[in-house]
Amino acid sequence: MSSGDVFDELNPSPRLMMGPGPVNVDPRVLKAMSMPLLGQFDPEFTTYMNEVMALYRRVFQTRNQWTFLIDGTARAAIETFLVSILEPGDKVLVPVFGRFGYLLIEIAERCGAKVELIETEWGQIFDPQKIEDAVKRVKPKLLAICQGDTSTTVAQPLKEIGSICSRFDVISFVDATASIVGMDLPVDEWKLDAVAVGLQKCLAGPPGIAPITFNDRVASIINLRKHIELGIRPKGFESATGRTIASNYFDLGMLMDYWSESRLNHHTEATSMLYAARECARIVLKEGLKECSERHADASRAMVAGLEAMGLSIFGDKKHKMPNVTGCYIPEGVNSEQVRMDLLQDFGIEIGTSFGPLHGKIWRIGAMGYNCQKHNILICLNALETTLRQHRVSVSSGAAVDAAIAEYRKKSR
Ligand SMILES: Cc1ncc(COP(=O)(O)O)c(C=O)c1O
């Protein structure tokens, strides 16, 4: 092969990623990812593993021993949980308020579960009473629900959901990928049995590793299905009598051994991603969970004020809007994809399109993680205003940025 056949060195253009995620990674996380690899059973590395568990217990506001990382993007943790807990024929209830509710259904059905769903219009949330009624009617083994669904930019209040589930002996599982640390999620206080997330939104990391937490109630169900692959099975280990979990990679039983003091070999750890996860949690906890969610709420108010001053209408139930992503209606007659392309090419700014019933109707503009900073909101509003003007939308010049600045000033008064 001649040197001419080799591609150029990677040199991605600088972008400001103001979509629904992923977003720009905090430089401190990128730095952590460039640290030298260690062997996964090197005592220094297992210390990092324990630190990761301790850090994410604080992120999840839980005392759950079983708080660790699943290698893969956010859905890897969702799939790990569902494939490990569900057996064919198990009943699952999914309240769907956007695309990611359907993802929960899709994975649960692949596990052989019988899924019942309740639905609400995209952009709206459920009254907890409606969820309680469905729990009573369906009597599921598991209730699976999203906190924030980026597809609709709204978040389901979860404060009562864990209690409802525990009253009816139902396991509660939450996908908080899109909302973790952008919104409060006190796992123990809200009595949630299991929660899975990803790094690529408010945690300011890259996609590729997925924190999960679950309580002893879940662990005891998993243990009834505990099998260990033959080549690493310790002498004297007796397999549990329950059905073997259908995935090796996503087998929570073996993963619990891998992450506990027994350190039973399983997969080769994604070392650099573990470093990233550790740094993401460390940064957020150093800032403070309350401060971090307030930063996202402040940005949300500024973004809404700016978009409205520009004459755009906000999509969905505003009271339950996710703080880290804002949906706004695309003005009538505008070529929405061309606007997004112009923003990218002229300003290096990415905003999100939408799918399902919202396709072509709304843009989704994120301000999360490392990007959730005042100057980025102002830059994004300014660029959108200019681009819309070039697309002959009548917008009053400077109004968006003025309104966003005024919103931020209210806070500092
Ligand atoms: C709420 C929610 N759940 C799950 C996912 C899937 O995550 P991933 O693409 O990292 O697997 C996303 C991604 O945007 C999400 O927003």
Side-chain angles (χ1 to χ4, degrees), residues 182-199:
M183 295 179 75
D184 199 22
L185 185 65
V187 171
D188 288 359
E189 189 189 320
W190 290 359
K191 296 190 169 63
L192 300 168
D193 291 312
V195 178
V197 302
L199 298 189

Side-chain angles (χ1 to χ4, degrees), residues 73-75 78 100 103 148 150 175 177-178 200-201:
T73 62
R75 76 184 58 204
I78 299 173
F100 290 104
L103 176 66
T150 33
D175 168 14
T177 299
Q200 73 264 30
K201 316 262 184 185

Side-chain angles (χ1 to χ4, degrees), residues 81-88 90 92 108 111 113 141-142 225:
F81 180 77
L82 294 179
V83 77
S84 298
I85 202 91
L86 293 176
E87 298 187 38
D90 281 344
V92 176
C111 301
K141 169 176 176 178
L142 174 81
R225 303 178 66 181

Side-chain angles (χ1 to χ4, degrees), residues 60-67 81 85 140-145 158-175 185-196 212-222 252:
F60 284 120
Q61 303 176 61
T62 182
R63 298 163 81 95
N64 288 342
Q65 175 192 357
W66 302 114
T67 304
F81 180 77
I85 202 91
K141 169 176 176 178
L142 174 81
L143 177 130
I145 190 166
L158 294 177
K159 197 169 176 199
E160 295 154 69
I161 304 304
S163 303
I164 294 172
C165 287
S166 72
R167 258 191 287 129
F168 294 96
D169 200 24
V170 172
I171 300 161
S172 54
F173 170 74
V174 172
D175 168 14
L185 185 65
V187 171
D188 288 359
E189 189 189 320
W190 290 359
K191 296 190 169 63
L192 300 168
D193 291 312
V195 178
I212 191 168
T213 187
F214 55 93
N215 60 18
D216 287 341
R217 178 182 180 209
V218 169
S220 60
I221 298 172
I222 305 294
L252 265 188

